[in-house]
Amino acid sequence: MSRHLRFIARTVMVQDGNVDAAYKILNRVLTQDGIIDTVKRRRYFEKPCRERQRKNFENCKRIYHMEMARKIAFVSKTNREDPWLGC
Amino acid sequence: MFNLRCAVLNSVSALRRQLVTPLNASVTVPRCGSRWLPILRTLSSSAVRHQEAEANTGKDFSYFPPLPGQESTLRWAGKKFEELPIVHIKATYNNTHIQLSDSAGQSLVRTSCGTEGFKNIKKSTPIAAQTAGISAAAKATAKGVTFVRVVVKGLGPGRLSAIKGLTMGGLQVVSITDNTPVPHNGCRPRKARRM
């Protein structure tokens, strides 16, 4: 990060000395940006064949979870306007 | 305040956009005096809270740090954000180093789990990091430092407890930055462990 301006990105201000809350927020932001994940993965070298397998697996997992969430949202939708209205 | 924040966002990375939306969605009115004024006005329904929100119009808290180009009225012990001393915490998997330097980069205090008397495996514990934090804070207050910005590097066991140790030792933490090095496919790391 030496080529970037310091104290702009990945920075969280502490409110009222509540360091725990600020650290939690920082952690959440970093996880959402995938930085924690990347750092953990780069601790040891991941061979290209293993990387391709992992990416494939994550893709399949993502598709499955999205479809399942869609299905659940659809099935749990009980209030809707009358589809047979007018006939 | 929201419009100002939008202007700031456009000039900084997408990271910030993610930070604002979950905060606006999930934050609730704190009991001890609200600071999130225009956004929370829609959430608070009672008349008392409304008056509280209007009374605290002076203090506006933003999770974003004051940028060097912008003039902000925030001061800590009379110093601007850019002039506060910095505590670098390097949290490796085997140890935690804490170094306090002023805004120019001159080192003031340097402690680590090893200098606190811990050896080998005991250095890679959060308790050792906390003791290192407390001792660093004690030495810093002896040199007259109160408000401090923290920069954390690495994902080790002492990452949070070192900051906790600093607060327990008496230093006031103003902001937390994460400076963990993320290579854009640079050096090849060591081979995977097979256990």
Side-chain angles (χ1 to χ4, degrees):
Chain A
M1 280 258 289
S2 53
R3 294 173 208 266
H4 297 275
L5 282 177
R6 314 208 294 169
F7 298 100
I8 294 186
R10 308 196 228 161
T11 307
V12 173
M13 301 292 282
V14 168
Q15 187 179 25
D16 296 335
N18 198 352
V19 172
D20 285 320
Y23 184 79
K24 234 177 167 186
I25 291 171
L26 180 68
N27 238 3
R28 184 195 351 122
V29 171
L30 291 176
T31 338
Q32 281 178 351
D33 283 350
I35 294 182
I36 305 267
D37 215 29
T38 322
V39 169
K40 278 196 200 150
R41 195 177 308 128
R42 282 181 192 276
R43 190 178 170 190
Y44 303 112
F45 180 67
E46 186 184 25
K47 288 188 181 169
C49 67
R50 302 281 298 157
E51 188 182 343
R52 273 178 264 126
Q53 287 172 356
R54 178 185 52 88
K55 282 210 153 71
N56 211 349
F57 171 73
E58 278 175 3
N59 262 343
C60 296
K61 205 165 87 159
R62 182 178 302 119
I63 293 170
Y64 176 83
H65 285 320
M66 300 282 252
E67 290 297 309
M68 184 57 91
R70 235 180 101 222
K71 178 179 184 176
I72 292 173
F74 177 73
V75 168
S76 55
K77 195 166 55 164
T78 47
N79 297 335
R80 60 172 185 164
E81 71 275 9
D82 188 7
W84 305 107
L85 192 65
C87 58
Chain B
M1 188 183 112
F2 192 67
N3 290 333
L4 175 65
R5 185 172 292 168
C6 281
V8 171
L9 278 177
N10 288 337
S11 61
V12 194
S13 61
L15 164 78
R16 291 148 160 267
R17 238 166 273 129
Q18 287 183 13
L19 182 51
V20 173
T21 35
L23 282 177
N24 284 347
S26 64
V27 79
T28 51
V29 176
R31 281 175 216 105
C32 53
S34 92
R35 285 177 174 187
W36 293 85
L37 322 152
I39 298 150
L40 283 189
R41 246 180 224 151
T42 51
L43 293 179
S44 63
S45 49
S46 69
V48 176
R49 280 191 183 158
H50 220 59
Q51 283 169 13
E52 231 179 39
E54 285 175 63
N56 287 356
T57 337
K59 208 63 173 16
D60 243 346
F61 180 75
S62 156
Y63 282 100
F64 300 128
L67 302 181
Q70 278 190 330
E71 324 80 36
S72 77
T73 46
L74 294 169
R75 298 283 183 271
W76 294 270
K79 291 193 193 166
K80 286 195 224 181
F81 185 73
E82 297 88 45
E83 297 156 14
L84 288 172
I86 311 166
V87 170
H88 291 274
I89 299 180
K90 181 174 178 177
T92 60
Y93 295 101
N94 290 332
N95 200 342
T96 313
H97 301 261
I98 301 180
Q99 179 160 30
L100 176 76
S101 69
D102 65 3
S103 54
Q106 294 289 316
S107 169
L108 304 168
V109 171
R110 192 159 78 174
T111 45
S112 77
C113 300
T115 56
E116 298 307 300
F118 293 95
K119 299 255 181 244
N120 299 327
I121 196 160
K122 307 237 177 52
K123 293 190 295 193
S124 57
T125 50
I127 303 155
Q130 195 182 303
T131 4
I134 295 177
S135 103
K139 292 182 191 174
T141 38
K143 294 207 174 182
V145 172
T146 37
F147 293 94
V148 109
R149 320 176 251 180
V150 164
V151 175
V152 198
K153 192 179 274 201
L155 286 181
R159 203 166 124 109
L160 174 61
S161 46
I163 312 177
K164 281 263 203 52
L166 288 176
T167 5
M168 282 166 62
L171 280 185
Q172 303 257 27
V173 172
V174 155
S175 75
I176 309 178
T177 322
D178 179 88
N179 197 12
T180 321
V182 166
H184 300 328
N185 281 3
C187 302
R188 179 169 167 147
R190 55 156 292 180
K191 67 178 184 185
R193 295 175 71 202
R194 295 176 295 276
M195 296 179 284

